[in-house]
Amino acid sequence: MSNTAESTYFVLQQIDPATGSAVAEARICVLDLKELGAVLDCSSTRLSGSWELGPGDIQRLSAICIPPRELDPRFNRVQSWHPIRQTPYLVHTNFELPLMLEGRKPLAVFQDTYPVEWLAEMLVRFDPFVRSGRLVRRIIDTPFTEAERARFPKFERWRRAFFALPGEEWRIDAYLLASKVSAKTGWNEALERMEGSLLGYENWQNDWWVERRARRREAGIRRENE
């Protein structure tokens, strides 16, 4: 098991049960991944994902993190480090509901095969705020093609769930239009910027994201040509 910089950083989180999102986070460094696996009761040789913390786990983590220190007992989840955390702004993923309730995000979109557990759980968290009128919901189901039906025999169809702030429902139609255009033309920078703007990202954030994708694409082309 290699102890790269990314593999030794982990993020402690305090999860709000009402929104399923983190309300507090702290980064820790753990060099001995076998010890961490023992704390998390995880036998995998690659610690990737998230784990719920049980009674006593925080104290055990306090002893093996570098440097050892007392950790807040309110943390109830640990998550592996991901390069997206190097983004110089808050990526909305996993923070959609609290951002919408604060009025900072006008549109959220979730999509997967149906039925899947994570999407059902997400809809349940949004339900009280849809019923109270604080959010507007639209669900669109799309049948599988013949090829998709063969590929996903355990599922029934595609499901997309849209949530918008009241008065921002037009963003759902604009998002669907962008999807139709993409199906004809392929994804491009203009559609990437449009999607980001519809989801509530600022212009400078869209600039950073598009430039990052371009750099990664150029790096990939260079590797292929070497």
Side-chain angles (χ1 to χ4, degrees):
M1 183 184 303
S2 62
N3 282 343
T4 64
E6 289 181 4
S7 71
T8 57
Y9 284 129
F10 295 83
V11 179
L12 293 173
Q13 298 178 315
Q14 179 188 354
I15 302 299
D16 174 16
T19 64
S21 300
V23 294
E25 294 188 331
R27 189 177 73 171
I28 60 173
C29 176
V30 178
L31 296 180
D32 193 328
L33 300 185
K34 288 185 178 179
E35 281 195 336
L36 178 59
V39 172
L40 303 177
D41 194 23
C42 177
S43 59
S44 173
T45 58
R46 184 177 181 183
L47 292 175
S48 178
S50 62
W51 301 265
E52 303 301 318
L53 295 175
D57 287 345
I58 282 292
Q59 288 76 14
R60 297 169 69 190
L61 285 175
S62 297
I64 65 173
C65 67
I66 305 297
R69 65 184 189 274
E70 185 175 351
L71 299 172
D72 193 321
R74 289 176 294 180
F75 289 124
N76 52 20
R77 181 184 294 174
V78 62
Q79 187 176 76
S80 57
W81 182 262
H82 192 283
I84 202 168
R85 288 184 171 276
Q86 298 171 349
T87 304
Y89 55 86
L90 176 65
V91 176
H92 298 178
T93 304
N94 297 324
F95 293 95
E96 294 92 349
L97 181 53
L99 287 174
M100 296 192 80
L101 295 179
E102 292 175 7
R104 297 166 57 190
K105 182 174 178 62
L107 175 70
V109 183
F110 307 97
Q111 175 175 314
D112 206 340
T113 52
Y114 177 85
V116 289
E117 184 176 353
W118 79 265
L119 185 54
E121 292 175 351
M122 184 70 68
L123 297 182
V124 167
R125 285 201 290 268
F126 276 77
D127 275 348
F129 307 102
V130 173
R131 290 195 297 268
S132 67
R134 295 184 65 182
L135 299 175
V136 177
R137 182 180 69 189
R138 188 189 304 179
I139 293 179
I140 298 178
D141 289 336
T142 304
F144 284 152
T145 63
E146 290 295 331
E148 290 170 342
R149 191 174 297 110
R151 184 182 176 188
F152 305 111
K154 296 182 180 180
F155 302 98
E156 301 173 9
R157 55 188 177 272
W158 292 109
R159 167 159 288 187
R160 278 193 287 186
F162 296 85
F163 296 91
L165 298 180
E168 302 287 347
E169 296 90 340
W170 63 270
R171 293 176 183 266
I172 300 175
D173 296 318
Y175 193 100
L176 291 169
L177 178 59
S179 296
K180 290 181 179 179
V181 171
S182 173
K184 295 290 186 180
T185 66
W187 198 248
N188 55 47
E189 179 181 321
L191 291 172
E192 184 82 24
R193 291 180 180 277
M194 181 178 180
E195 180 185 59
S197 297
L198 289 173
L199 294 172
Y201 289 99
E202 299 177 26
N203 287 335
W204 73 268
Q205 295 170 340
N206 289 326
D207 290 341
W208 186 93
W209 187 262
V210 168
E211 291 167 5
R212 170 182 174 271
R213 286 174 61 91
R215 289 194 301 269
R216 295 182 66 181
R217 184 166 55 250
E218 291 172 2
I221 293 173
R222 285 198 299 271
R223 285 195 296 271
E224 290 177 359
N225 294 334
E226 288 176 353

